[in-house]
Amino acid sequence: MANEEEQEGAQTRQGGSPASSGAAGGGQAAEGRAPVVAAATGHASFWPVVLAFAIAVVCFGLVTVPLVMALGALLIVVAAVGWGLERL
Amino acid sequence: MRMPVFRGKRRWALLLSTLILSSLLFTACSGSPPSILNPAGPVAQWEANLFWFVLAVATFVFVVVEGILVWSIIRFRERPGMPEPRQIHGNTTLEVIWTVAPSIFLFVVLVFTIRTMFQVATPPVGGNQLEVTAVGHQWWWEFDYPKQMVNIPNGPQVQVDTITADDLVVPVGYTIHVKLYSNNVIHSFWVPELTGKTDVVPGHDNEKWFIADKAGTYRGQCAEYCGLQHANMVFHVIALPPDQFATWVSGQEQKVANTPQARGQALFVSKGCSGCHGIVGVNLNSFDQQPQTLLGPNLTHFGSRDLIAGGVLTNTPQNLAEWLHDPQAVKPGNDMPNLGLSQAEINDLVAYLESLK
Amino acid sequence: MATRTVVERPALVRQKRFSETYLGQWITTTDHKKIGIMYMVTAFFFFVVGGLEALLIRTQLALPDGKVLDPETYNQIFTMHGTTMIFLFVMPMFTGLGNYVVPLMIGARDMAFPRLNAFGYWVVLFGGLFLQSSFLFGAAPNGGWFAYAPLTECGVQGVNCFPSTPAMNMDFWALGVLLLGVSSISGALNFVVTIFKLRAPGMTINRMPLFVWMTLVTSFLLLFALPSLTAAAGLLLLDRHLGTHFYQAAFNGDPVLWQHLFWSFGHPEVYILILPAFGIASEILPVFSRKPIFGYTFVAWSGVAIGFLSFTVWAHHMFAVGLPVVAQAFFATSTTLIAIPTAVKIFNWLATIYGGKLSFKTPMLFALGFVAMFLIGGLNGVALAIVPVDYQVTDSYFVIAHLHYVLFGGAVFAIFAAIFYWFPKMSGRMLNERLGQLQFWLMLIGVNVTFFPMHILGQLGMPRRIYTYAADVGWNELNLLETIGAFIIAVAVLVFMVNFVVSLRRGEVAGADPWDAFTLEWDTTSPPEPYNFKTLPVVRSRRPFYDKKNPETADWKVATH
C-alpha cells in the first residue's frame, strides 16, 4: 500500500543523502516536492557491452586463430579507454 | 486472493515417506549389487557400522525436524478469525541451547570418526600377509604380485610371482597390502564389500589394505572419472581359501606349454597381439620381465579369469569371440585396434586363449 | 513495463538515440532493475539447457547398457550439465535477484557502480555463449565440472593418457570459467560497496534485511575464492599450451595440486550457491507467517561464520585421495564445525513459523519445501563428513544425491520461491497461484523420486560419472525410477514456463504490496520507477515497511532493537 501521495510531506528528510550516488544526481525529494524525473535515471552506456564482448572475443581467439585474439585485445583497449573517458 | 487448493499438508510428508519406503523395496531386485552394507572384511565392517549409526541418527533427526515442520504447518495455518501472532524476535537462551546441543553431539560423532579413520589407516601387524600392486590403466586393472613367499596354513610355503588383469585373486583371511600405481590419470580402487576407496594418483605412493573374511567373488570398480571408458573399468576380487589359493598360485607359475591349440598360439604372434600382450612362455620368459611397452593385459593364464577388458564382458568363449571380432564396438575408444580377424582366426585364438588355465 | 524518461524541455524534434529505442534501452542500460531482469532471464535459459542435459543423462541411464548416447557425448553432456547449472544458472540467477532487490531493500537508487554492473551481466551472456559454442566445434568440455588433472591434460606433450592427441574441449572449460569469474568478481565488488555505502539513513548493518546480509557474505566469498579458481585454471592453460608441468607427475608436478587449488575455490563456491537461498527463506518465511524472523542476529552471524569456515573445509572433497590421516582428521573436524551454524539456521526458521499465522501461497510453499529438502541435504552431508563412511560413498551416487538435495531441493526451490515472491514487484502482475501450486507439488515429488534413490545406489556400489552399467549388477530398477522422476521435474518446469508467459500478459494486477510484506522494496510501485523511491525511506528498525503500516505496533516502539 505504498502510496506516493501519502509519502509527500510526511517524512521530510534532508537531501544530500548517500542514496543518490551512482545515478545522475538531483531528483531527490526536498521538503516533499515531486522530483525532477529526468535527472533521476541512470546514464545509459554501451561501453560495458563492448568490453564484455571484447573479452569474449579474446577467449574465442585463444581457441581459434591468434588474429581474432589480437582484434579482441585491441577492442579491449578501445573499450577501456572509452569507458574511462566517458562523461557521465 | 483465493485460498490455496491443497489443504492438509500432512499429505506431502506421507508422500515423501511412501516414496522413500517404496524405493527401498526396489533394492536388489535384479542381480546382487556390491553393497557397502554387506561387508565381507573388517575394513568394510567398520565403515558399515559407522554408516548404520549415521543412518539411525539422520533418520531420527529427519523425523523430529520434519515432524516439527509438518506439525507447525498444520497447527499454525491461517484460519478465519485468527488473531495476529505475537511478534517474537528471538530468545537467546533457546538459541544457545540449540547451538550447543548439536555441537556436543557432533563432536562425539567426530571422536568415533577419527578413531575409525586411524583403524582403517593402520594395517594389522604380523599374521599372514600378501603384497600386490594394483596398476590403473585406461581402462583396466593390472595386478602385479611381486615375488614373495606365502605361508599356507597346514600346507607348504608357495612362491607367488605373477601378473594378472581384472581379477585380483587373494587368500581368505590374509592381510592384503595393495600398492596403488598409475602412470596415466587418476583412478580409484573400490571394492564396496571389502573396503572403501583410495585413489590411484600418478606420482603418489598410495597404499591400502583389506582382509577378505570369507571366500567369494567381490565386485570392484574404478571410482574416479578417468576418461572415455571409465564406466567399463570393473574388476573382481576373488577370495579363495588358502589351500585353493596355493593351487591357483602353482597354476600361475607353470609356464604355458605348447598346447594343442598351436594355430591359435601362432596367430597370437603373427597377428601382432604379442606387441601389446605378454604370455610367459611365448613372448616373455617370466613375469619379472614385463616391459612397460606392453600396453595390454598380461594374458598368461587368461583362461582362468572371469572378466574381459575391464569387465565389459564376462569371460566366455562367445564373449571373447565378440571382443576379438571388433574391440572398438564393444568398448569404444579403448587401446586395442580392430585387427580385422577372420572368423576362422577368431575361433583358433579363442580356443588357444581359453586353454591358458 | 517500458519506462520512458520524460524530458521537460521545449519540444525538440530529433531522431531517437539508439539508447532510447526498445532494444537500445536494454543493451545500454545501467539500471540495476533491468540488469537484474536480464541476468535472471539469461540464467533461466541456461537452466533449461542444463535441464535438457540432465534429461539426456537420465535417458541414457534409464536402462542398463544404454545406447542413447555414445561415451564421448555422454561425458561431454555430464560435464556441461554441472558447469552450466553452477556457473550459468545458479550464480547469475542469484546475482540478478540480488541486483534487482538489494538496492531497493536498502533504500538506494541503484548499485554503486552501474556500468560495472552492466558489464558483469554481458560477460555472463557472452561467456555462456562461448562455453556453449564448444558444442558447435564438437568439442564440449568432457573432463567433469571439476576437471581433474592429469585427465584434462591428456595428449599434451609428455602426458601419457587418452586422448593421445590434445583436443580443445578443456580449453573451452578453462577459458569459460575464467571469463565467468570476471563477471562474478565485478558483481561481488559492486555488492560489497553498495551494501556498505548506500544504505538509507537509519539502516544500520544490524537492521538490514537478511537477504542483504547473505548477499554481502556471498560477495566476500566470491572475492576470496575466485582467485583460487583463476590460479588453477590459469596453470591448467599454461600446462596445456606453454609447456609448464604444474600438474604432471612425470615432470615432478602434482595432480593433487589441481585438487587443492580447485577445491579451495570449489568449497566456498557451494556456499556461494546456497547462502542467498538462506537469505531468501529468511525473507519469505516471516512474511507468510506474519511475524519477524526468529533470532535475526544468530541467523545473520551464522551466515558470517559459514563464510569464514567455508575456507577451512576444502579437502573434504579429497578424503579418498590419500592425504595423511592427520590432515584428513583436521578437515573432518572443520567440516563438523561448519554443520553447526547451518543447523542453527534451520532451527531458527522453524521457530519463525512456530506460533505464526501461515498462509500457503506459492512463495511460502517453495520456502517450506526448501527447508524440508535442504534438511535432507544437510543430513547426508553430515554422513559424508564422517570420513570412513565417505571412503565408501564418495565418488558414488550418494554424493550425487547429496549435491542435488542441497542444490535443487535447496537453491532451486529458493529460486522459485524468490521468483514467485518478487515477480509481482518486477512486473506489476501476479503469477498464477494454481499453476504455482501444481508446479510445486510436481517438483517436490519429482525431486524426491529422482534423487532419493541415489542414496541407495551409492550404497549399492554405483560410481558416479559412468555412461552405462551392466544389467546384472542390480542397479536397474532404481535408475529407471530416477529417470521417471527427472521427467516429472521437466513437466514442472514446463508448467512454470507457461505460468510465466501467461501471467506476464494476463496476470492479476499486483499493486505495490501484494503480500503485506515488511521490507522497503514493497514501499514503492510495482514495477518501481527508475529512481526507485520518491523520498528517502525512514528506517528505525529491521522491518521499516511493517513499521510504516503499523505505527502503533512498530518494531522500534515495541521491540528492543
Side-chain angles (χ1 to χ4, degrees):
Chain A
M1 286 85 59
N3 213 317
E4 278 75 42
E5 287 89 289
E6 282 171 20
Q7 274 182 320
E8 281 170 51
Q11 293 82 14
T12 53
R13 287 298 199 163
Q14 56 286 8
S17 75
S20 67
S21 67
Q28 316 178 52
E31 282 79 40
R33 244 180 292 146
V36 175
V37 177
T41 56
H43 183 92
S45 168
F46 55 81
W47 293 117
V49 65
V50 173
L51 183 61
F53 182 69
I55 301 180
V57 167
V58 169
C59 288
F60 205 72
L62 278 164
V63 290
T64 52
V65 287
L67 175 66
V68 173
M69 205 168 79
L71 288 173
L74 188 60
L75 199 54
I76 287 180
V77 174
V78 169
V81 171
W83 183 320
L85 293 181
E86 185 172 30
R87 262 186 79 228
L88 279 173
Chain B
M1 306 252 67
R2 279 202 286 161
M3 284 293 287
V5 173
F6 291 82
R7 280 166 291 153
K9 296 299 181 274
R10 191 181 338 216
R11 228 199 274 179
W12 74 258
L14 271 172
L15 253 160
L16 200 56
S17 25
T18 320
L19 283 160
I20 293 170
L21 289 169
S22 56
S23 67
L24 282 169
L25 291 171
F26 281 112
T27 57
C29 261
S30 61
S32 56
S35 169
I36 69 174
L37 297 179
N38 201 10
V43 178
Q45 183 68 63
W46 297 327
E47 291 161 352
N49 291 344
L50 268 181
F51 186 91
W52 284 119
F53 172 66
V54 168
L55 184 61
V57 168
T59 308
F60 173 73
V61 172
F62 173 80
V63 167
V64 168
V65 176
E66 302 280 15
I68 295 176
L69 184 66
V70 172
W71 180 82
S72 305
I73 285 171
I74 298 167
R75 166 76 178 80
F76 298 110
R77 73 191 187 285
E78 183 176 37
R79 275 151 290 178
M82 198 172 177
E84 281 307 288
R86 286 184 56 204
Q87 303 291 292
I88 298 176
H89 291 260
N91 179 319
T92 311
T93 315
L94 202 52
E95 301 263 22
V96 168
I97 291 175
W98 70 43
T99 306
V100 170
S103 310
I104 295 177
F105 174 73
L106 283 169
F107 275 95
V108 170
V109 172
L110 183 66
V111 167
F112 282 110
T113 299
I114 295 183
R115 203 183 70 149
T116 310
M117 282 165 69
F118 278 95
Q119 264 183 319
V120 168
T122 316
V125 195
N128 293 315
Q129 322 240 337
L130 179 72
E131 259 191 47
V132 67
T133 299
V135 180
H137 293 270
Q138 281 173 302
W139 294 276
W140 54 281
W141 291 94
E142 172 187 331
F143 300 109
D144 287 351
Y145 299 70
K147 196 182 280 189
Q148 58 199 295
M149 298 305 289
V150 172
N151 294 317
I152 306 291
N154 307 322
Q157 272 199 337
V158 286
Q159 182 181 272
V160 184
D161 176 16
T162 185
I163 299 178
T164 66
D166 299 335
D167 283 341
L168 173 57
V169 183
V170 298
V172 169
Y174 281 55
T175 303
I176 314 298
H177 293 268
V178 186
K179 289 188 155 68
L180 301 166
Y181 176 81
S182 163
N183 68 353
N184 45 87
V185 296
I186 302 179
H187 301 274
S188 193
F189 181 95
W190 186 29
V191 189
E193 290 161 303
L194 292 175
T195 174
K197 61 188 67 70
T198 304
D199 287 356
V200 185
V201 184
H204 284 242
D205 293 325
N206 287 351
E207 291 183 16
K208 65 192 285 103
W209 66 276
F210 67 87
I211 299 175
D213 282 338
K214 34 190 203 267
T217 300
Y218 303 104
R219 188 179 202 269
Q221 189 160 357
C222 175
E224 184 59 62
Y225 177 59
C226 52
L228 192 68
Q229 286 290 348
H230 165 62
N232 285 318
M233 198 165 154
V234 172
F235 62 102
H236 282 171
V237 175
I238 300 173
L240 298 174
D243 50 328
Q244 288 181 31
F245 179 74
T247 314
W248 176 81
V249 167
S250 48
Q252 293 287 303
E253 301 310 320
Q254 282 169 20
K255 290 233 173 76
V256 173
N258 252 323
T259 64
Q261 287 74 12
R263 279 201 309 267
Q265 184 171 298
L267 283 168
F268 176 78
V269 177
S270 68
K271 285 289 166 185
C273 316
S274 54
C276 293
H277 293 279
I279 295 182
V280 173
V282 177
N283 62 336
L284 292 182
N285 288 330
S286 73
F287 286 109
D288 295 328
Q289 193 224 341
Q290 170 97 350
Q292 292 266 334
T293 49
L294 291 185
L295 295 172
N298 184 297
L299 298 179
T300 308
H301 293 286
F302 179 80
S304 63
R305 297 190 198 150
D306 59 355
L307 294 175
I308 298 175
V312 69
L313 291 169
T314 49
N315 187 359
T316 65
Q318 198 176 344
N319 282 348
L320 182 59
E322 186 188 339
W323 174 259
L324 289 173
H325 174 69
D326 189 355
Q328 290 297 319
V330 179
K331 193 173 178 182
N334 87 82
D335 220 356
M336 176 160 159
N338 188 340
L339 296 158
L341 302 166
S342 72
Q343 193 56 50
E345 288 169 331
I346 291 176
N347 293 341
D348 286 342
L349 280 166
V350 168
Y352 171 62
L353 290 169
E354 297 294 2
S355 76
L356 298 175
K357 295 287 180 199
Chain C
M1 58 153 272
T3 50
R4 293 182 304 121
T5 53
V6 176
V7 181
E8 295 172 336
R9 284 194 204 123
L12 190 73
V13 178
R14 59 165 173 78
Q15 282 242 301
K16 260 193 199 171
R17 296 197 188 100
F18 177 66
S19 61
E20 289 163 346
T21 62
Y22 184 72
L23 187 64
Q25 272 179 34
W26 288 94
I27 293 182
T28 62
T29 187
T30 58
D31 177 353
H32 72 100
K33 298 183 289 297
K34 282 208 163 69
I35 293 170
I37 287 172
M38 290 196 289
Y39 260 115
M40 288 190 276
V41 169
T42 305
F44 190 82
F45 166 74
F46 285 117
F47 175 58
V48 173
V49 170
L52 289 172
E53 287 162 343
L55 287 178
L56 280 170
I57 292 173
R58 284 312 328 159
T59 306
Q60 164 65 11
L61 293 176
L63 299 173
D65 295 316
K67 298 276 187 284
V68 173
L69 299 174
D70 64 272
E72 176 60 27
T73 307
Y74 180 89
N75 294 340
Q76 293 181 7
I77 298 274
F78 85 69
T79 301
M80 288 301 281
H81 167 73
T83 309
T84 302
M85 286 302 202
I86 289 172
F87 290 101
L88 298 176
F89 163 53
V90 178
M91 288 171 82
M93 181 61 86
F94 281 139
T95 306
L97 192 66
N99 243 310
Y100 197 106
V101 168
V102 165
L104 287 166
M105 274 183 158
I106 62 175
R109 283 212 191 287
D110 204 320
M111 298 282 283
F113 304 114
R115 286 179 301 174
L116 188 66
N117 205 10
F119 170 73
Y121 165 69
W122 292 109
V123 171
V124 164
L125 179 67
F126 293 130
L129 290 175
F130 169 75
L131 201 50
Q132 305 295 331
S133 76
S134 61
F135 279 114
L136 296 175
F137 288 77
N142 57 2
W145 91 271
F146 42 82
Y148 278 2
L151 180 63
T152 50
E153 297 184 355
C154 289
V156 166
Q157 90 293 294
V159 183
N160 163 37
C161 53
F162 292 115
S164 43
T165 48
M168 290 202 290
N169 314 46
M170 293 314 289
D171 291 322
F172 276 104
W173 185 88
L175 291 168
V177 302
L178 283 172
L179 200 49
L180 294 166
V182 168
S183 164
S184 295
I185 291 177
S186 32
L189 190 72
N190 221 342
F191 277 118
V192 170
V193 177
T194 304
I195 292 170
F196 276 140
K197 301 301 286 178
L198 300 191
R199 279 169 286 118
M203 185 177 283
T204 59
I205 296 252
N206 222 8
R207 284 182 188 164
M208 62 187 194
L210 285 167
F211 180 66
V212 179
W213 265 102
M214 296 301 129
T215 302
L216 183 64
V217 178
T218 304
S219 302
F220 274 106
L221 287 182
L222 281 164
L223 289 173
F224 284 95
L226 276 164
S228 291
L229 178 63
T230 308
L235 296 185
L236 179 65
L237 285 171
L238 288 178
D239 269 14
R240 285 172 61 89
H241 295 285
L242 291 183
T244 56
H245 305 294
F246 291 102
Y247 306 126
Q248 297 165 19
F251 296 87
N252 291 320
D254 191 352
V256 176
L257 176 64
W258 166 268
Q259 296 190 31
H260 283 296
L261 285 174
F262 181 84
W263 288 115
S264 295
F265 153 76
H267 194 82
E269 166 68 4
V270 309
Y271 289 102
I272 288 164
L273 298 173
I274 201 66
L275 282 170
F278 291 166
I280 290 166
S282 305
E283 296 299 331
I284 293 178
L285 290 171
V287 168
F288 291 84
S289 309
R290 308 312 308 156
K291 51 194 282 277
I293 188 80
F294 188 96
Y296 171 98
T297 310
F298 272 83
V299 177
W301 288 97
S302 65
V304 175
I306 289 174
F308 277 107
L309 288 171
S310 71
F311 286 97
T312 63
V313 299
W314 79 89
H316 70 214
H317 300 269
M318 297 162 61
F319 281 140
V321 165
L323 299 173
V325 184
V326 173
Q328 294 180 40
F330 168 82
F331 287 102
T333 308
S334 59
T335 306
T336 302
L337 211 51
I338 206 173
I340 298 166
T342 318
V344 162
K345 281 187 193 290
I346 293 190
F347 298 143
N348 278 299
W349 291 322
L350 286 181
T352 302
I353 68 172
Y354 184 93
K357 183 173 163 187
L358 311 180
S359 92
F360 302 109
K361 304 294 187 326
T362 308
M364 182 61 158
L365 287 177
F366 274 108
L368 291 169
F370 160 82
V371 175
M373 295 297 101
F374 183 76
L375 174 69
I376 299 178
L379 290 171
N380 58 29
V382 169
L384 290 165
I386 296 179
V387 178
V389 173
D390 188 82
Y391 291 151
Q392 283 282 21
V393 298
T394 194
D395 260 322
S396 79
Y397 264 76
F398 191 93
V399 177
I400 302 190
H402 166 67
L403 74 93
H404 284 95
Y405 266 94
V406 289
L407 285 178
F408 202 124
V412 176
F413 269 48
I415 286 171
F416 280 111
I419 292 175
F420 277 85
Y421 185 58
W422 277 299
F423 179 91
K425 176 57 53 180
M426 298 176 185
S427 69
R429 295 186 181 274
M430 307 295 289
L431 281 166
N432 183 279
E433 191 54 37
R434 285 191 102 101
L435 287 177
Q437 304 252 340
L438 177 63
Q439 178 200 340
F440 169 73
W441 289 108
L442 282 173
M443 246 178 200
L444 187 69
I445 292 171
V447 163
N448 285 292
V449 172
T450 309
F451 301 116
F452 194 84
M454 291 186 180
H455 293 108
I456 301 173
L457 275 178
Q459 155 223 323
L460 293 180
M462 184 172 178
R464 62 187 294 192
R465 304 173 148 189
I466 55 176
Y467 75 90
T468 190
Y469 53 94
D472 59 351
V473 191
W475 299 331
N476 305 0
E477 291 80 8
L478 291 177
N479 269 292
L480 184 58
L481 186 63
E482 291 167 5
T483 301
I484 293 171
F487 279 92
I488 296 176
I489 296 175
V491 172
V493 174
L494 278 171
V495 168
F496 172 76
M497 286 162 72
V498 167
N499 195 352
F500 184 84
V501 168
V502 166
S503 301
L504 213 44
R505 293 161 183 273
R506 298 194 285 131
E508 193 180 320
V509 171
D513 182 23
W515 310 118
D516 191 8
F518 305 150
T519 41
L520 286 177
E521 76 271 26
W522 303 102
D523 190 11
T524 182
T525 56
S526 295
E529 294 296 325
Y531 48 82
N532 293 349
F533 301 98
K534 269 199 180 130
T535 57
L536 264 176
V538 179
V539 179
R540 297 172 79 169
S541 81
R542 292 170 180 153
R543 297 192 294 169
F545 191 40
Y546 172 86
D547 291 348
K548 184 173 169 183
K549 290 183 287 185
N550 303 281
E552 295 311 308
T553 53
D555 279 352
W556 60 268
K557 268 194 184 156
V558 171
T560 48
H561 24 245

